[in-house]
Every structure is written in C-alpha cells, then in structure tokens.
Amino acid sequence: MQRQKILLDPVLLSKKLSRIEELIRTGVVDGLDITGSINESAFLSTSKDQSEIARFEKGIGTIFEFASKHNVTLRIHAFEGASQGSLYYALKTTIENFQGQIKLRIGHGFKIDEEWAAFFAKKKGTVRMSVDMNPASNIFLQDATTGELVSQMALLKRYNISYRLGADGRGMIPHSGYEEQKYLIEPSNYKLGAGDLCQELFTRP
C-alpha cells in the first residue's frame, strides 16, 4: 500500500484493510507493508501543515489498531530520505499514545537520528521494534557512503534496536536482488561496490 495515498484517504484505507482482513483469516497474509518514495519523502520533510498531520495521525492510528488486533507485523517505509515533517510528527504522536501491543518494522534506518533512536528505545514496552537497513538502495538513491551506513547501524546497536540488512525490495534497485541473495548465502561477502559493508560492520569494535 502506497504511503501517502493510503494514509490520507480513510475510505480507501478502510477498503484495503477489509480485503486484507479476509486474507489474514485464510492465512495468506501475515503482515502489512506501507511503501513510500524518495520524492514523497522530500515533500513530507518540509510539510508542517496541522490538518495534514491530523489526517496522517488518523490513518496511522487506524493501521496500528488493525495490526495490533490481528497480531501482524506492520512495516512502514520511513526514514529513507528524512526524519521530520508531517508523516514523522504523526508517527511519533501515534507511537507515543498507542495503548496496545504492536510489531513495528521501520522500512529504512538511514535517516534515523539520535532523537528518534532514543524515542524508539523508550517505547520498547509497547512496540516490538525492528529496522531495515538497505545499503544498495541508500547508495543508489542517496549517494550514501559505507561509513554513513556503518555509523547508522552503530547508532541502532547502541540503543539496542534490532535491524536487518535488506535491499528495499529485491529487484527494485539495480543489482539489489543479487546483493541481497549473496548476503543471505554468504553474510561476510556482501559487496556493495562502495566497500565491504558487512565485513566492516562485523569486525567493528
């Protein structure tokens, strides 16, 4: 489900969740994935419109309740290009006020800063948290360096936030399918063309 479109349209969101609920009952679906885009992130990082924030809060809150009720993992693609703006204000407020238990997976860790890492660590009681790190995507779309990516993983590790290495959807980024598959088979040889990220990470003190 595409992030901005689905979260800001309650009618569309209701229709999608009704269909997903049917699939969950049959065992076909065990999680929700709210996707995004780089262009969307650029817009959202500058938007502080209060009405838009309120609409995002309503949409995110609805999905949180749904995922919690059905005990499925909710993956939200965020932090690929920003860490503030209307989506992020709404996400933080929703997590802060959510009363249930939820399995939350953040689709990117590249732009998670110290403040967000501390916030996620504080909410571990109600939020089972994990983060995806997508080196191939970050290098291709944001010119990320190996050093930046390793620093981000170190930040997550420092706050005890679990993360996994992925590729932002196998096949979506050039060579990502190959890179991800290679990592799954030989973790210590996950080459990105910008240095051996995993080898550097695993040998880091």
Side-chain angles (χ1 to χ4, degrees):
M1 294 185 289
Q2 207 274 341
R3 187 172 64 197
Q4 188 170 358
K5 184 176 181 181
I6 198 75
L7 292 177
L8 295 178
D9 188 336
V11 175
L12 178 60
L13 178 57
S14 178
K15 289 180 179 178
K16 292 287 188 182
L17 292 182
S18 293
R19 175 56 179 150
I20 291 170
E21 190 167 35
E22 295 174 8
L23 295 173
I24 289 173
R25 291 196 190 102
T26 63
V28 174
V29 171
D30 63 0
L32 305 177
D33 197 339
I34 310 299
T35 66
S37 74
I38 294 299
N39 291 335
E40 183 187 61
S41 294
F43 164 72
L44 293 175
S45 67
T46 60
S47 174
K48 298 181 181 179
D49 183 87
Q50 291 302 311
S51 63
E52 184 177 73
I53 293 173
R55 290 169 65 201
F56 267 125
E57 284 180 15
K58 185 175 181 179
I60 295 172
T62 298
I63 290 182
F64 267 49
E65 292 289 349
F66 182 91
S68 179
K69 173 185 174 183
H70 294 285
N71 193 31
V72 295
T73 299
L74 171 61
R75 183 189 191 201
I76 297 181
H77 282 254
F79 299 99
E80 65 269 53
S83 62
Q84 60 182 337
S86 56
L87 172 71
Y88 297 95
Y89 301 140
L91 180 62
K92 180 173 274 189
T93 300
T94 303
I95 293 174
E96 189 72 66
N97 297 328
F98 190 67
Q99 298 298 311
Q101 299 283 324
I102 188 168
K103 293 180 286 187
L104 181 62
R105 184 176 164 190
I106 298 297
H108 294 265
F110 184 55
K111 289 295 183 177
I112 291 177
D113 56 22
E114 190 97 22
E115 181 181 340
W116 270 104
F119 174 75
F120 286 142
K122 183 181 74 171
K123 299 304 293 182
K124 280 185 178 179
T126 56
V127 179
R128 289 176 56 190
M129 181 82 188
S130 68
V131 173
D132 290 349
M133 290 298 299
N134 305 303
S137 173
N138 297 138
I139 289 170
F140 180 74
L141 294 174
Q142 287 126 346
D143 296 320
T145 66
T146 301
E148 287 175 318
L149 294 166
V150 171
S151 294
Q152 281 303 107
M153 294 182 203
L155 172 65
L156 297 173
K157 186 175 181 180
R158 193 162 69 246
Y159 280 93
N160 248 350
I161 299 170
S162 65
Y163 61 86
R164 71 193 82 195
L165 288 173
D168 198 14
R170 192 174 296 181
M172 293 178 68
I173 303 299
H175 311 300
S176 62
Y178 166 77
E179 298 287 4
E180 184 175 347
Q181 189 64 33
K182 187 174 181 180
Y183 166 67
L184 292 172
I185 297 171
E186 299 179 82
S188 64
N189 291 320
Y190 188 93
K191 303 283 186 178
L192 295 168
D196 190 346
L197 178 63
C198 285
Q199 188 64 34
E200 187 170 341
L201 175 64
F202 295 155
T203 57
R204 190 184 179 92

